[in-house]
Every structure is written in structure tokens, then in C-alpha cells.
Amino acid sequence: MKRVLKLVVWLVVALLGAAAFAKIAFDRGEPLNATWFVVAAVCCYLVAYRLYSAFVAAKVLTLDDTRATPAERHDDGRDFVPTNKWVLFGHHFAAIAGPGPLVGPTLAAQFGYLPGTLWLIAGAAFAGCVQDFVILFCSIRRDGKSLGQMAREEVSERGGFIAQLAVLAIITILLAVIGLVVVNALKSSPWATFTLAMTIPIALLLGLYLRFLRPGRVLEASIMGVALVLFVVVAGQWVADSPSWSRVFTLSGVALAFAIIAYGFAASALPVWLLLAPRDYLSAFIKAGAIFSLAVGILFVRPQILMPSLTRFADGSGPVFAGKIFPFCFITIACGAISGFHSLISSGTTPKMILRESHARFIGYGAMLLESFVGVMAMVAACAMPPGVYFAINSPPSIVGGAGDAAASTISSWGYSLQAQTMTDLAHKVGELTLWNRAGGAPSLAVGMAQIFSSTIGGDRLLSIWYHFAIMFEALFILTVLDAGTRVGRFMVQDLGGRVWKPFARTSWMPGVVISSAIIVALWGYFLYQGVVDPLGGINSLWPLFGISNQLLAAVALVVATTILMKMGKLRWIWVTLLPMAWIVVITMTASYQKIFSANPRIGFLATANAMVAQIAAGKIPAEKIAETQRLIFNQRLDAAVTGILAVMILVLIVEALVHWYAMLSRRKDPVLHESPYVATRWAADYSGATHGDD
């Protein structure tokens, strides 16, 4: 009877999810209610976790809880730390959840709500979650080795070196785009700039509090930190209303870029307990709280989705970024569906902390489902605002013609009615000077979130508070990846430098720390500056570059995962990683080709550079702008070169893997697994790791 009841419950969940999906996909009458998105996502996630992840765990990976994990065998209290699975789930999610699931879906909303929503849910269930889960399992079986180390051992020495270079490249591009999103959210906004700036001394205060005053009191410090953050959100309004203080915190894009570069250097060079760790404490609470509050707000407010299911920009002429749905919707969504960056976390700290192999399903597959849910909530928030407002915020001035009546007329001509006064009134309500041309996704997402929150609590009176809370939430979300990513990049630079001179690789040697921090910050800082001074808003060129490089890294991870499954004798189930790998390779190679060679200057890097060269030759560029234009020409050509190099590197890795696979399948080479030897666990079945994981 109990079995029948379970079957009925899961059948109801599946049917409810299918009905919600059908409503989203086929309804073309009245504006769609956002509740359907929450229902469709949650039901699909439940079914995917209950059925597909269980199938992967049992049939493909054969998880074994009798086997001791690296956390048990190498417990050192520093890197290898047995951790309660719920605590580790929180750590893992905080590490993987960056700007992608917030910004990607918001930008992809220019195609309409349908393509992005479908890819967010299906892509996560069958690609992103699988990648995270399988790579985490593979690293657990190999003493917590990194993706590059596994590629070197399981594919080839050359493959491992290529993977390491690809990782460094993706970190460089990712951090530049993260910085650009923050700059576009904060520029000319004293309230937002003050709020985010104050989170740094708050984090330092928490670091000192936990280190010297109340060691180990994480919850106590976090409550204090969250309270202080909420206070500075409110205090930001006082700063914005003060003529003298508002001037101090009203910064240009270039000034903000250099401030973020300086912060990145400090976060990389300072001790981890002083800035990095306390910022993680703050962001973890605010990330989870804001996303679940948004979901609850959607269920209470039940806002209508005002963006159509498909817009006229499906043809590739979009103002936010150019390019057709295939491949650019998939590249733009990025982390919300599958992220190569996650493979660095799944083969980094997490496998060194896990108690049981079975926990890899909950942490690897489950945390990615939660990130996908973040992406769906971002899509809802973006599509619940009037389309005209959405395009006014996200379109660069070179496309819509600046601000005011001219921009409103351009947007209205696309079929999305907009009055210039609407934008003026909205900016006033949220406490901003202007919301025109705030490309990058963060401001429009904050407006969407603020409207949903204010409809639940406070109405228009608190719209400005909610808007700046959302900006602070996004910035904390994003800067967590910026400071952690800069530190990871520093380790990689030191490792590569150590091949030339061994002392440079010592992470305790301060000159090496400072030099390597300066190198990684200079790398991503250059691309950030390029994006800030780009007349197209930067996001138009940098976000596709970020999406391509991130998805190429996912291809690296899936190549390694497929190779390992083949060596494990799982040929019958090889499609679990092979199919998403093939799909990601097709997407990324198509996007790479178009971004390099497309004749459309709004898509192709080289076409953009050639168009600028022609303008200079025709005398259409004022003399005072020629030097700036020549720099932009160089940057476009550099972007093309970076894209081409990354694509070639991944193709070489795939060829290496194909040769390896053929040799194994044709029996010319024995499949040698580089797993750690089996060691039986000494822990009881109910061991929780509370003494280590709950501190």
C-alpha cells in the first residue's frame, strides 16, 4: 500500500509539472501567470532528482558507501575535513553560484521567456547536474584531484596541460565579466556604491571577530553581519540624499573598475580568514534567503509575465546582444543550465570534505538544481516587467540612441510601447538618477525583484529599499566568485610559475603571493577595462566570450568524465555524459565560429574591428576619438584571438580523447584507471561528522 501511495504521489508531481510546462509552452492568450514557472521548475527538479539522479548514482557510477572517502583517509583538519552533508551542500552552493544564473537568464529574456526557461530546466537536469555529479564522484575516487590532474592522468599529459590553460583562460574571462556586471550596476549610483562598499569593512570586522574575539561562532557572526548589511542598505538612502556624501560615492565606470581591481588584489593577497571567508558567510545567508523569498513572493503576488514567449529578436537582431537563438541563447544562459566553472569546485574543495560517496548525489546533482532554480527566478523577474522598460535598461546607447524621447521612440518602434517619463518615474521610485542604458542584466533584475518584493511588503514606498537590497544581493552574489576566483587564479599562476622556478609555487612565500596576485588581477582587469570603455556597453562582446569559454570548460569536464566511464567499463551508459558533451561542443564551436568570422559587425569580433578601421579611413571618426577607436579595434581582434585559441585547445583535447577511446575500444590499449585503492570505511553508518562539519 505504501509503495502504491508513493507511486501515486510521484505520478501527481510528474503530471503537475507536465501541465505547467504545457501552459508555459503553448499558452498564447492572456498574459501568463508566473506561478506556472515555479510549479514547472519545482516539479521537474523533484522528478529529475528522484529518478534520473538515482539512475546515474546506481547504474552509471555505482556509489559505494563502504568505501572510505578522502576526507576520512586524509583528515588533516585543514584541507581534508569530514563535513556534514547539509553544511557541505551550503558551502558547495555558495561556491558555484555566481553571476551566471542571475545575469545569463536576464540577458536571454530578449528572446522571450520560452527558449531560456526550457534550457534552464532541461539543460540542468540532463547536462549541468550530471557534469557536477560525475566530476565530483571521479575526484572523490582520486583523492580529491583537480580537473587538470584527472585530465593528465586519464586522457594524456598533453590533455592535462591544455585543460590547465583552459581553466586559467576561463577564470580570466569570468572574472572580467563579473567585474563588468558590478560596474554597470553601480555606476552613477551613490546608494548602491555605498551599500556595496560598506560590505567590505563589515566582512573585515567579521573576520577579526571570528579570529580573535569569538572564534568559531559562525552563526553569531553571521547574524551580526546580516543585520549590519541590512542597515547599510537603508543608510544608503541617507548617503544618496546628502549632497556632499553622494558626490563621494557617485563614481564613473572607469573609477569603479579600478576600485574593483584593487579589491580583487586585496582579496587574493590578504589572509583568507580576514576577507574571503567572512564574505562567504554573509553571501551564503543572503543568497539563499533572497532566492527563496523571491519564490515565495512570486507565489503570493502571482505577477503576470509581460514579455512574450518569443520576441522579434529571435532572428538575431537583438539590442541587448546580437545573435540568433541557436547558439546564443545557450551560450548566454551559461551557468544556469551547465557551467564549466562548477567542475573546478567539484574537483577542488568539495571532494576533500565529503563523508560518503552517496552524498555526492545530493551535493553534486542537488546544488546544481538549486542554481537552475535561481536562473528560473531571474527569468521570471526579468519577464514580469514591461518589455519596453526591460529593453530601455539593457540596451546600449549606440543601439537605442541614448536616453529620453529618442530611445523611447526607438523601443516603441520595435512594438514595445514606452514613454520616456515612465523611465524617469521608475528611476525616481527606486532612488536612482537614471535607469537608461544599464547594460549587464543586474539593474533590470533588481528592478524586477524589487517590484515583486514591494508588491508583497511596502508597496511603492519601499520600492527603492527593495531595489538597493536586490543590487546588494546581486553584488554579494557576484563578488563572492570574484574574490574566490581571483584566489584560485593566483594558485594557478603560482603553479605554472613553479614549473620555471620552484620557490614561486610556494603559497606561503609572500613575494610569490603578491606577484601572482598582480598577474591574475592584471589579466582580468584588462578585459574589464575593455568592457567599461566599449561603446556597445561591453556586455555585448564580453558575455558571449564568457559563455563560450565557460561552456568549453564544461566540454573539458565531460570529455574527462566520458573517458573515466569508458575505463570503468560503463559503455552501456556512456551516453549519459557523451550526449551533453556532444551538444556542448556543437554549441560552443558554432558560437566561436560566428563570434570570430560573422560578417555582422554586431556579432563578429573581426567584422567589428574592420568596420571601425573603415570608419577611420573614411574620416568619420573625430580626431580626438581615433586613439580610443584604435584601442577598441585591438580589443576586438584580441577577443577573436582568445576565442580561436580556446576553441583550438578544446578541439585538440577532444582529438586526444578520441584517439584514446579508439585505442581502448579496439583493444590496442588497456584501460587503466587511476583510482585510489579501495579502503573500507571505519565510520559507523550514522556517522555525521558533526565534530568537524558544524564548526
Side-chain angles (χ1 to χ4, degrees), residues 15-29:
L15 291 175
L16 185 59
F21 244 133
K23 183 74 174 175
I24 293 170
F26 300 116
D27 189 86
R28 297 293 182 271

Side-chain angles (χ1 to χ4, degrees), residues 196-526:
L196 183 60
M198 288 301 101
T199 64
I200 296 174
I202 290 172
L204 293 171
L205 173 64
L206 293 193
L208 295 169
Y209 185 87
L210 288 168
R211 182 78 171 183
F212 300 111
L213 299 178
R214 301 278 286 174
R217 303 289 184 174
V218 176
L219 181 60
E220 184 180 302
S222 298
I223 292 172
M224 180 178 70
V226 170
L228 287 172
V229 167
L230 295 178
F231 170 75
V232 298
V233 172
V234 177
Q237 185 174 16
W238 308 334
V239 171
D241 291 340
S242 167
S244 55
W245 282 108
S246 64
R247 282 197 299 270
V248 174
F249 289 97
T250 302
L251 302 178
S252 66
V254 173
L256 283 167
F258 282 107
I260 289 171
I261 289 169
Y263 167 76
F265 177 81
S268 175
L270 288 175
V272 68
W273 59 265
L274 184 58
L275 182 58
L276 198 64
R279 181 173 283 281
D280 281 344
Y281 298 148
L282 282 174
S283 64
F285 278 94
I286 294 172
K287 282 179 184 181
I291 287 302
F292 284 115
S293 298
L294 181 59
V296 172
I298 289 170
L299 293 176
F300 271 101
V301 178
R302 304 178 72 245
Q304 292 181 329
I305 299 299
L306 302 179
M307 187 75 74
S309 58
L310 283 173
T311 69
R312 56 176 288 175
F313 302 119
D315 64 359
S317 61
V320 180
F321 62 90
K324 294 183 178 181
I325 287 180
F326 179 86
F328 289 103
C329 179
F330 305 96
I331 293 300
T332 303
I333 291 289
C335 306
I338 180 170
S339 170
F341 182 74
H342 293 187
S343 65
L344 307 184
I345 308 301
S346 292
S347 62
T349 56
T350 304
K352 298 180 178 71
M353 301 166 71
I354 202 162
L355 285 170
R356 303 282 190 197
E357 283 194 359
S358 62
H359 294 179
R361 176 189 171 201
F362 172 65
I363 294 165
Y365 199 97
M368 179 58 211
L369 284 180
L370 183 57
E371 173 152 343
S372 175
F373 187 63
V374 173
V376 173
M377 293 301 95
M379 179 67 74
V380 169
C383 294
M385 69 176 68
V389 173
Y390 167 85
F391 286 112
I393 297 174
N394 286 288
S395 301
S398 59
I399 301 296
V400 296
D405 291 334
S409 176
T410 301
I411 294 169
S412 296
S413 71
W414 298 337
Y416 307 113
S417 178
L418 179 68
Q419 299 293 324
Q421 190 61 39
T422 301
M423 296 302 298
T424 302
D425 293 343
L426 182 59
H428 177 72
K429 287 179 181 178
V430 300
E432 291 291 290
L433 297 176
T434 180
L435 286 173
W436 290 103
N437 316 133
R438 301 288 291 275
S444 59
L445 176 58
V447 169
M449 290 176 65
Q451 289 177 332
I452 292 171
F453 285 142
S454 64
S455 297
T456 308
I457 302 174
D460 285 351
R461 277 187 312 108
L462 295 185
L463 189 63
S464 59
I465 297 290
W466 285 121
Y467 173 83
H468 288 91
F469 170 79
I471 287 288
M472 179 275 304
F473 152 74
E474 293 177 60
L476 274 182
F477 216 98
I478 292 167
L479 286 183
T480 300
V481 176
L482 187 140
D483 48 30
T486 301
R487 207 172 188 92
V488 170
R490 189 252 288 178
F491 291 147
M492 295 192 63
V493 170
Q494 285 191 266
D495 184 53
L496 288 171
R499 297 189 177 196
V500 179
W501 189 48
K502 284 189 177 181
F504 191 76
R506 293 204 316 267
T507 57
S508 59
W509 187 50
M510 187 50 66
V513 169
V514 172
I515 293 170
S516 57
S517 295
I519 290 172
I520 186 64
V521 166
L523 288 173
W524 64 257
Y526 173 81

Side-chain angles (χ1 to χ4, degrees), residues 162 166 552 555-556 589 645-655:
I162 290 171
L552 285 172
V556 172
M589 291 304 160
I645 290 170
L646 283 171
V648 169
M649 285 167 57
I650 303 310
L651 286 174
V652 170
L653 177 65
I654 291 171
V655 170

